[in-house]
Amino acid sequence: MQRNKKIPVGDKEITVTELSVTQIRNLLDPMEQTEVSIIDLLFPDGVPAVAVAESTGIGIKQLETYPPSELKLIIEAVENLNPFFANMITRLAKAGEQIINEKTSTPPVAG
């Protein structure tokens, strides 16, 4: 059974839901798109905005109406209720960063 947690955000109460493995798998495809949410730019080390939307049932456009201080609370709640997903995103980001570094580093000059 998926866990839920209600969190107070401003004058609202938001329900955060644990994502299923199927939901997580389905989230990976849209993350390959080039369009980046402003939320992802504001919180580059957090779970992607699409995951926050899936976990809370709040659309990305609606999430963008929240101030960053409230978004931070929501993102943290999503990460806390979905630690396996959050850790996977961290590992994927590190692997991607390593690949980019390897492709952009210049080979040593033979002397």
Side-chain angles (χ1 to χ4, degrees):
M1 179 186 340
Q2 290 175 302
R3 297 178 302 148
N4 294 309
K5 181 179 181 181
K6 292 182 186 278
I7 61 165
V9 177
D11 59 350
K12 299 176 179 120
E13 187 173 77
I14 294 175
T15 300
V16 177
T17 304
E18 180 180 25
L19 299 170
S20 70
V21 173
T22 300
Q23 288 173 302
I24 291 169
R25 182 180 51 230
N26 292 340
L27 287 172
L28 295 179
D29 290 335
M31 287 176 16
E32 294 176 6
Q33 296 174 358
T34 56
E35 186 177 326
V36 178
S37 166
I38 186 70
I39 296 168
D40 294 328
L41 296 174
L42 286 169
F43 300 95
D45 296 326
V47 294
V50 293
V52 177
E54 182 73 21
S55 180
T56 61
I58 302 171
I60 291 177
K61 293 294 182 198
Q62 183 65 32
L63 285 169
E64 290 176 355
T65 66
Y66 286 84
S69 58
E70 291 180 355
L71 274 176
K72 184 175 190 247
L73 296 173
I74 297 167
I75 291 169
E76 287 174 350
V78 170
E79 291 173 344
N80 288 336
L81 206 57
N82 294 281
F84 298 103
F85 177 67
N87 290 334
M88 182 185 75
I89 292 298
T90 300
R91 288 190 306 275
L92 287 173
K94 286 180 183 176
E97 191 175 299
Q98 183 178 359
I99 290 168
I100 289 170
N101 288 337
E102 288 172 2
K103 289 188 180 218
T104 59
S105 66
T106 55
V109 178

